[in-house]
């Protein structure tokens, strides 16, 4: 199961997520989403746990917990909705 984790401190790294979630079971991956222009954390990330029961327990226990001084939100990740393509340019012309 993929878990969406938000409201992360800019100083949290993937190893921190791995450490917190691995207390509840096997973590196959943990990633922090980085802004490609600033190279800084966007304040959210994803954790993948193969066992759904372990992932649900981790979500229940860690949602609302504090990591690096910030109260995080953890819930099951939902597939990204496809929207209109973005060009990266302002299309006012």
């Amino acid at each position: 199961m993929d878990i969406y984790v938000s409201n992360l401190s800019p100083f949290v790294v993937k190893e921190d997520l791995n450490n917190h979630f691995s207390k509840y079971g096997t973590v196959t991956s943990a990633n922090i989403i980085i802004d490609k222009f600033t190279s800084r954390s966007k304040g959210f990330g994803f954790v993948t746990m193969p066992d759904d029961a372990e992932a649900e327990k981790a979500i229940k226990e860690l949602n609302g917990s504090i990591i690096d001084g910030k109260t995080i939100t953890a819930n099951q990740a939902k597939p990204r909705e496809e929207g209109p393509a973005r060009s990266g340019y302002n299309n006012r012309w």
Side-chain angles (χ1 to χ4, degrees), residues 7-8 10 32-38 40-45:
N7 200 37
L8 295 172
I32 305 288
I33 305 306
I34 304 296
D35 184 288
K36 65 182 176 184
F37 298 110
T38 65
R40 299 177 92 178
S41 168
K42 286 189 170 188
F44 68 94

Side-chain angles (χ1 to χ4, degrees), residues 17-88:
L17 283 182
N18 192 11
N19 290 338
H20 283 280
F21 281 83
S22 65
K23 294 173 187 171
Y24 300 95
T26 303
V27 172
T28 54
S29 71
N31 293 300
I32 305 288
I33 305 306
I34 304 296
D35 184 288
K36 65 182 176 184
F37 298 110
T38 65
S39 298
R40 299 177 92 178
S41 168
K42 286 189 170 188
F44 68 94
F46 295 92
V47 175
T48 302
M49 298 180 76
D51 185 297
D52 287 353
E54 291 175 350
E56 288 173 11
K57 182 170 182 167
I59 289 169
K60 182 180 177 188
E61 297 293 325
L62 292 173
N63 186 38
S65 67
I66 297 174
I67 297 178
D68 196 36
K70 292 191 77 174
T71 303
I72 66 159
T73 301
N75 42 53
Q76 184 174 353
K78 296 183 172 110
R80 188 174 187 175
E81 292 182 13
E82 291 298 322
R86 295 190 215 175
S87 67

